[in-house]
Amino acid sequence: MSIRPVLETRKSVPTLEGAGVKLHRAFGFQDPSELDPFLLFDDFRNERPQDFQAGFPWHPHRGIETITYVLAGSVTHSDSLGNSGTLGAGDVQWMTAGSGILHQEMPQGNNSGQMHGFQLWGNLPSDQKMTAPRYQDVQSQEIPQVTDDDGTTVRVIVGEFWGKTGPVDGIAADPQYLDIHIPAGVKKTFRIDTYRRTFAYVFQGQAAFADASQPTGVLLEKEIAGQEVNIRDMSGDRTLVRFGTGDEITVQAGPHGVRFLLISGAPIDEPVAWHGPIVMNTRAELEQAFQELRNGSFIRPAH
C-alpha cells in the first residue's frame, strides 16, 4: 500500500457567475490536465438570497457533464429538450450535455435563506462528446450512506465504496464521488484506485491529509514574501486538496471533525479546446459549436 502525497492545498476563490451569483471556485479555466477528467469545481454556498437568487439563466453546454449536489435550499432546472425538475437538500443531478443543450438553473433558499451546494464539470472523451443529452436526477433517499464503527459516515453518490454502489451510473470518467464525515480526532484511511486523479474538497471542520499521527497539518513548502518556507497547513473550510499517485489517502480529523468531498476519476488524456460552457477537442470543433449557436442549429433533433 502507498499513501498518496498531498501535492497542493489551496483555498477556493470568490467568483461571480450566471446573473450575479456569488460562489467560490476551487478550480477551473486553468490547466485542464491538472485534474483530468475534471474541469471545474464551484462551491455555491451562500447565506443571503441576494447573493444567489438571480441564478443561472439560459446558457448552453456541449462536450461535458455537469454534476450538481445540493446540501440546503433547492435548485429548479429546465432545458431546451423539455426536461424540468427541482433538486432539494441532499439531491444530485448528473447532466450529460453531450451534443448540446440549453438550460437554466435557478436556486432558492431554505427557510433560513441558505442556498448550499456544489457543481463539478466532468469532461467527455472525443467519442462521446456528441452523444444525446441525458439527465440523472437522484433524490437524497436514493443515495446509500455507510457508517463505520468509529462514527465515520460516507454517502456514496457515484461508484462503489464499502460494499455500497452509488445510484448514478453510465458516466464516462467512471468516477467515484463521496461525501465523507469523520468525527473529531479520528484518523482514517481510504482506498483509492491508483490510476485515478483524486482531490478532496473540505467544507466543514478541519483535517490533515497525510500520514500524520496528530492533526497538526501537512508540512508544505510555500513562498511567503519571496522566501521558500515550510509551514503546517491544516486544511479547513473551502480548501481543495490535490493528491499525487498511490492507492490510499490518510485523513486525521481536527478537534471539531471534518466533512469533505472525495472525488476521483480516470484521466481521459485528450486535447482540450475550451471556451466558457463548451469543451471540445479542437479549435475547429469549438468554432463550429459557436457557429451553430449563432445560426440556431446547436440543438440536435432527438433520434
Side-chain angles (χ1 to χ4, degrees), residues 41-43 67 69 71 117-120 155 157 176-181 198-204 209 239-241 243 249 258-264:
F41 184 88
D42 283 343
D43 173 349
I67 305 94
Y69 182 26
L71 298 180
F118 309 103
Q119 187 168 92
L120 174 70
R155 298 191 85 209
I157 296 168
Q176 188 179 59
Y177 191 126
L178 309 174
D179 177 351
I180 299 174
H181 173 261
T198 304
F199 71 91
Y201 187 75
V202 179
F203 62 96
Q204 286 180 15
F209 288 79
T239 298
L240 175 78
V241 183
F243 298 99
I249 69 162
V258 65
R259 188 175 175 190
F260 62 97
L261 303 178
L262 182 62
I263 299 173
S264 62

Side-chain angles (χ1 to χ4, degrees), residues 271-276 278-291:
V272 173
W274 182 2
H275 185 80
I278 297 175
V279 183
M280 304 302 290
N281 293 106
T282 68
R283 177 59 56 178
E285 291 169 337
L286 202 59
E287 291 172 353
Q288 178 184 345
F290 282 97
Q291 176 62 33

Side-chain angles (χ1 to χ4, degrees), residues 83-242:
N83 300 302
S84 63
T86 299
L87 301 175
D91 295 349
V92 173
Q93 180 196 80
W94 201 294
M95 183 190 76
T96 303
S99 61
I101 201 165
L102 297 169
H103 76 154
Q104 63 175 353
E105 300 155 298
M106 305 305 290
Q108 300 171 357
N110 60 16
N111 291 337
S112 300
Q114 298 170 315
M115 177 69 246
H116 290 184
F118 309 103
Q119 187 168 92
L120 174 70
W121 289 12
N123 200 5
L124 283 169
S126 56
D127 61 354
Q128 296 185 39
K129 283 192 177 293
M130 298 302 287
T131 55
R134 70 168 183 149
Y135 280 101
Q136 295 182 70
D137 281 358
V138 178
Q139 294 187 330
S140 180
Q141 61 266 29
E142 300 175 63
I143 299 173
Q145 179 169 300
V146 192
T147 302
D148 207 3
D149 293 342
D150 58 13
T152 298
T153 61
V154 180
R155 298 191 85 209
V156 186
I157 296 168
V158 187
E160 296 183 9
F161 191 77
W162 285 355
K164 299 291 185 179
T165 300
V168 180
D169 63 6
I171 305 304
D174 187 26
Q176 188 179 59
Y177 191 126
L178 309 174
D179 177 351
I180 299 174
H181 173 261
I182 304 176
V186 171
K187 183 180 180 181
K188 203 73 178 171
T189 296
F190 302 95
R191 293 293 307 276
I192 299 289
D193 187 291
T194 305
Y195 301 102
R196 294 170 179 265
R197 297 269 168 77
T198 304
F199 71 91
Y201 187 75
V202 179
F203 62 96
Q204 286 180 15
Q206 289 182 313
F209 288 79
D211 193 14
S213 58
Q214 297 295 327
T216 53
V218 182
L219 189 62
L220 297 175
E221 186 176 87
K222 294 190 175 183
E223 183 175 315
I224 298 178
Q227 302 261 337
E228 294 290 338
V229 296
N230 290 324
I231 64 172
R232 293 284 175 184
D233 183 83
M234 189 69 169
S235 299
D237 186 28
R238 292 198 167 103
T239 298
L240 175 78
V241 183
R242 189 164 63 90

